């Protein structure tokens, strides 16, 4: 792990697991400005199904450590972030 980053765990549920063809992954983020909103933008920038499923206005919920989270919630090292449809 890069000392200038934070490591989080992503879990994809329901249709997102199928669309992304992955159930979970680890991801390193820069510590400054690591929020749910920034994470969504970073994942959408992957393009393809990521951009489609995470586009503004698409119904996707985020939970950080099992608690629903909005775009402004800060992420910390070791957090588990689940993405799922409502």
């Amino acid at each position: 792990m890069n000392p200038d980053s934070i490591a989080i765990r992503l879990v994809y549920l329901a249709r997102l697991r199928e669309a992304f063809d992955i159930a979970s992954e680890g991801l390193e983020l820069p510590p400054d400005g690591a929020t749910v909103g920034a994470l969504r933008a970073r994942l959408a920038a992957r393009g393809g199904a990521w951009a489609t499923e995470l586009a503004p206005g698409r119904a996707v919920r985020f939970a950080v450590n099992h608690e629903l989270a909005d775009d402004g919630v800060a992420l910390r090292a070791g957090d588990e972030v689940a993405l799922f449809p409502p």
Side-chain angles (χ1 to χ4, degrees), residues 42-70:
R42 180 183 177 130
L43 294 174
R46 291 177 172 177
W50 298 91
T52 301
E53 293 293 339
L54 299 174
R58 282 289 288 193
V60 175
R61 291 195 179 176
F62 288 74
V64 177
N65 301 323
H66 306 279
E67 293 190 25
L68 287 177
D70 64 22

Side-chain angles (χ1 to χ4, degrees), residues 8-57:
I8 62 169
R9 179 107 180 120
L10 299 170
V11 178
Y12 306 107
L13 303 171
R15 77 160 197 269
L16 298 178
R17 177 182 292 184
E18 294 168 12
F20 302 153
D21 197 29
I22 187 172
S24 64
E25 68 176 305
L27 186 66
E28 290 188 20
L29 300 172
D32 295 337
T35 64
V36 168
L39 172 62
R40 182 179 186 143
R42 180 183 177 130
L43 294 174
R46 291 177 172 177
W50 298 91
T52 301
E53 293 293 339
L54 299 174

Side-chain angles (χ1 to χ4, degrees), residues 64-84:
V64 177
N65 301 323
H66 306 279
E67 293 190 25
L68 287 177
D70 64 22
D71 284 351
V73 171
L75 299 173
R76 293 184 265 317
D79 281 349
E80 178 186 82
V81 181
L83 288 74
F84 56 96

Side-chain angles (χ1 to χ4, degrees), residues 1-6 29-31:
M1 183 173 107
N2 181 340
D4 295 326
S5 66
I6 61 168
L29 300 172

